[in-house]
């Protein structure tokens, strides 16, 4: 469909696969479909757009909002009841406590004439949260078509792979569909499609090319790049508005927007200030007192900005692994560690602090094991966790002792990386400073 191709860009193969799985409205579709990919890879948008464009009866539920079994099941049933009832009628609220009740009530709701002879789709976004609920919930959703004897398909959207979902007891295997990250060419095409009507498409495409040249190495999130494009575009086209340059004068336009893009580079993902405050800072005629006050609220507040949630725990885990012997992990991080034999240390080490002895290297597996034990909630082994760990590894490679004061002792955490590319003996140091 031409209209669908204009709405969904750079996802032709995924759309074609989903359309093949959906088939005709009255055909029985695949019982369950598992769609996974990184953040901002188009999973939710493509699924919703496809279902709305084809006008297929569907229910979309976010598992973050429905954090309990009852909320999840009632949300699905009430949305289905709203689809099956007429516009004038006021549907009654359905209550559901268990999955057995859900199967029974689902059969009753789907008896309506508006849902007969066509596939009903249940879309569960952030499906990784289903693993924290009852053990029978995920296998039940995967076999919902068989349990209810209805034409229903359950679509699971997640950021982690299917292997992290599969229970030990086994379950029905869904059809797995992967959404890869957008390439720089895909991002160029998608962002250029959002050009303002008062400017030509080539002019906005040149601006997007400059924006991606600056931010693509540090940010590949489509949502964040779209926000940055909208935020900095007025400054890019400012010389054109004032009549100082034409749309083809790329060099002059770049000189005008370059310092503002450098400022925006410092606040990628942080969103320390609102868009209106950022526009005030961008203005050249801003009063110096107001600019200073605005910066104090936002850009100069780096001392008050915290690290990402898991990055803090990664650093804590690295510190604990660096200064505690591996034999103490069982005692510190297990609730039922059993009896541990006391070891007699040599007298010369009895009063020696571990901080004076320096950090000890440790394997990456031990770091992750400590991380999983000190975080209260269940930590999913997602690409987000490993990317943050990789980010700290790169910082460790760049860290070194102070050149002006070589005798200064820095508390550091070091660990061995077993990567064959870096070598088995590669050692990294991470500076951890405390007051």
């Amino acid at each position: 469909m031409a209209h669908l191709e204009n709405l969904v860009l750079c996802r032709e193969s995924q759309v074609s696969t989903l359309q093949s799985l959906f088939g005709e409205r009255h055909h029985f579709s695949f019982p369950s479909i598992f769609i996974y990919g990184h953040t901002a890879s188009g999973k939710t948008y493509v699924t919703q757009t496809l279902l709305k464009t084809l006008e297929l009866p569907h229910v979309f539920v976010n598992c973050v909002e429905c954090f309990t079994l009852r909320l999840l099941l009632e949300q699905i049933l009430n949305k289905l009841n709203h689809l099956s009832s007429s516009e004038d009628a006021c549907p009654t609220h359905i209550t559901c406590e268990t999955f057995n009740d859900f199967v029974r009530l689902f059969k009753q709701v789907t008896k309506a004439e508006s849902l007969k002879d066509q596939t009903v789709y249940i879309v569960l976004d952030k499906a990784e949260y289903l693993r924290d609920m009852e053990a029978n919930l995920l296998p039940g959703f995967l076999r919902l078509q068989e349990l209810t004897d209805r034409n229903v398909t359950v679509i699971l959207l997640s950021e982690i792979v299917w292997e992290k979902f599969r229970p030990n007891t086994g379950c029905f295997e869904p059809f797995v569909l992967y959404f890869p990250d957008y390439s720089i060419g895909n991002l160029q095409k998608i962002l250029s499609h959002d050009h303002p009507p008062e400017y030509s498409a080539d002019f906005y495409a040149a601006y997007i090319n400059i924006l991606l040249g600056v931010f693509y190495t540090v940010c590949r999130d489509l949502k964040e790049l779209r926000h940055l494009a909208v935020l900095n575009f007025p400054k890019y086209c400012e010389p054109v508005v004032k009549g100082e340059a034409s749309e083809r004068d790329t060099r002059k336009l770049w000189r005008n927007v370059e310092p503002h893009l450098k400022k925006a580079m410092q606040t990628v993902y942080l969103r320390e200030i609102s868009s209106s405050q950022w526009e005030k800072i961008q203005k050249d005629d801003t009063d110096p007192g107001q600019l200073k006050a605005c910066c104090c609220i936002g850009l100069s507040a780096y001392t008050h900005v915290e690290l990402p949630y898991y990055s803090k725990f990664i650093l804590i885990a690295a510190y604990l692994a660096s200064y505690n012997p591996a034999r103490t992990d069982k005692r510190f991080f297990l609730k039922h560690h059993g009896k541990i034999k006391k070891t007699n240390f040599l007298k010369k080490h009895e009063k020696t602090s571990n901080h004076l002895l320096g950090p000890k290297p440790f394997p990456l597996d031990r770091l992750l094991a400590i991380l999983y034990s000190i975080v209260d909630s269940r930590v999913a082994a997602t690409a987000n966790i490993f990317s943050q760990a990789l980010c700290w590894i790169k910082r460790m490679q760049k860290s070194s002792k102070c050149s002006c004061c070589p005798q200064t002792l820095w508390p550091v955490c070091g660990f061995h990386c077993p990567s064959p590319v870096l070598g088995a003996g590669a050692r990294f140091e991470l500076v951890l400073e405390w007051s």
Side-chain angles (χ1 to χ4, degrees):
M1 296 175 64
H3 178 62
L4 188 61
E5 292 178 357
N6 294 329
L7 292 176
V8 181
L9 302 177
C10 306
R11 284 289 180 255
E12 291 80 9
S13 62
Q14 286 77 17
V15 171
S16 176
T17 303
L18 288 174
Q19 285 182 311
S20 301
L21 291 172
F22 292 169
E24 298 294 335
R25 301 175 70 93
H26 60 279
H27 289 171
F28 266 77
S29 179
F30 207 85
S32 53
I33 303 173
F34 181 82
I35 302 175
Y36 73 102
H38 290 168
T39 305
S41 58
K43 304 181 299 295
T44 304
Y45 175 75
V46 170
T47 306
Q48 283 186 317
T49 304
L50 189 59
L51 292 173
K52 289 180 180 178
T53 305
L54 300 178
E55 297 181 353
L56 300 174
H58 66 279
V59 172
F60 186 89
V61 178
N62 192 315
C63 296
V64 176
E65 300 174 358
C66 305
F67 51 89
T68 64
L69 177 64
R70 178 173 179 176
L71 287 175
L72 179 64
L73 301 181
E74 289 182 357
Q75 184 86 336
I76 296 173
L77 291 172
N78 285 293
K79 286 188 175 182
L80 279 175
N81 193 28
H82 181 74
L83 286 176
S84 60
S85 60
S86 60
E87 296 181 358
D88 299 333
C90 182
T92 58
H93 182 77
I94 302 175
T95 59
C96 181
E97 296 285 349
T98 64
F99 194 80
N100 290 334
D101 295 338
F102 173 78
V103 173
R104 176 177 54 83
L105 294 171
F106 184 86
K107 293 180 180 180
Q108 298 177 4
V109 173
T110 51
K111 283 182 179 180
E113 291 293 333
S114 58
L115 299 179
K116 275 187 177 181
D117 300 329
Q118 57 180 335
T119 308
V120 177
Y121 296 90
I122 300 176
V123 184
L124 301 177
D125 196 9
K126 304 292 183 184
E128 55 266 19
Y129 288 90
L130 295 177
R131 302 179 304 163
D132 299 329
M133 298 184 185
E134 280 71 3
N136 67 331
L137 184 61
L138 181 60
F141 274 128
L142 295 175
R143 299 180 59 185
L144 187 62
Q145 188 179 104
E146 177 185 349
L147 295 174
T148 59
D149 195 22
R150 293 289 189 272
N151 191 1
V152 57
T153 296
V154 178
I155 303 176
L156 306 175
L157 306 179
S158 177
E159 295 180 10
I160 62 179
V161 297
W162 166 247
E163 284 71 17
K164 300 296 181 181
F165 279 80
R166 186 182 291 114
N168 297 329
T169 55
C171 65
F172 180 82
E173 294 290 328
F175 182 89
V176 179
L177 180 61
Y178 174 58
F179 274 57
D181 292 338
Y182 289 111
S183 64
I184 187 170
N186 294 337
L187 292 174
Q188 173 80 29
K189 183 177 180 180
I190 295 172
L191 293 174
S192 300
H193 192 262
D194 301 333
H195 70 89
E198 60 269 18
Y199 295 97
S200 64
D202 295 337
F203 176 69
Y204 194 75
Y207 164 67
I208 294 299
N209 189 28
I210 292 175
L211 185 81
L212 291 176
V214 175
F215 290 100
Y216 184 72
T217 56
V218 297
C219 174
R220 301 183 184 184
D221 190 322
L222 177 60
K223 297 177 183 177
E224 188 70 21
L225 289 172
R226 182 169 282 166
H227 170 75
L228 292 170
V230 173
L231 205 60
N232 294 282
F233 183 68
K235 210 64 187 177
Y236 178 77
C237 61
E238 186 179 59
V240 179
V241 175
K242 293 182 179 180
E244 300 174 356
S246 63
E247 291 187 359
R248 296 186 177 182
D249 196 354
T250 310
R251 185 183 296 273
K252 194 167 186 178
L253 296 174
W254 162 249
R255 288 177 181 175
N256 185 68
V257 78
E258 180 183 9
H260 303 282
L261 293 180
K262 288 182 178 179
K263 288 181 183 179
M265 178 78 78
Q266 302 172 359
T267 59
V268 175
Y269 292 116
L270 295 179
R271 304 284 178 89
E272 295 174 310
I273 57 177
S274 63
S275 299
S276 59
Q277 289 176 320
W278 177 258
E279 291 175 359
K280 290 180 181 179
I281 293 176
Q282 297 280 51
K283 291 181 181 179
D284 295 332
D285 55 350
T286 304
D287 183 71
Q290 296 179 357
L291 181 62
K292 183 177 180 181
C294 190
C295 288
C296 290
I297 297 174
L299 293 177
S300 64
Y302 274 105
T303 55
H304 305 288
V305 175
E306 294 186 356
L307 291 171
Y309 180 76
Y310 287 118
S311 291
K312 293 187 289 185
F313 285 100
I314 289 174
L315 291 178
I316 295 172
Y319 182 80
L320 294 174
S322 182
Y323 284 100
N324 291 324
R327 54 183 171 78
T328 61
D329 290 349
K330 187 177 180 181
R331 179 176 57 178
F332 291 156
F333 305 114
L334 289 181
K335 293 182 179 180
H336 307 288
H337 53 74
K339 294 182 179 180
I340 298 178
K341 295 181 180 180
K342 293 183 179 180
T343 306
N344 295 324
F345 296 96
L346 297 177
K347 292 184 177 180
K348 62 178 181 179
H349 293 302
E350 286 181 353
K351 296 182 180 179
T352 305
S353 173
N354 286 332
H355 294 94
L356 297 178
L357 294 175
K360 303 295 187 298
F362 55 89
L364 184 60
D365 292 341
R366 187 181 171 214
L367 170 70
L368 297 176
I370 295 176
L371 171 68
Y372 297 152
S373 63
I374 62 177
V375 179
D376 292 336
S377 59
R378 182 177 177 180
V379 182
T382 60
N384 185 24
I385 296 294
F386 292 110
S387 63
Q388 291 187 41
L390 181 61
C391 177
W392 286 116
I393 289 175
K394 291 181 179 179
R395 291 180 180 270
M396 292 169 193
Q397 289 176 312
K398 296 179 181 180
S399 63
S400 60
K401 293 184 179 180
C402 180
S403 58
C404 61
C405 185
Q407 281 99 15
T408 304
L409 292 176
W410 294 87
V412 296
C413 296
F415 63 87
H416 283 291
C417 179
S419 173
V421 178
L422 300 174
R427 185 178 187 274
F428 307 96
E429 290 186 350
L430 169 64
V431 176
L432 279 179
E433 185 176 3
W434 64 83
S435 57

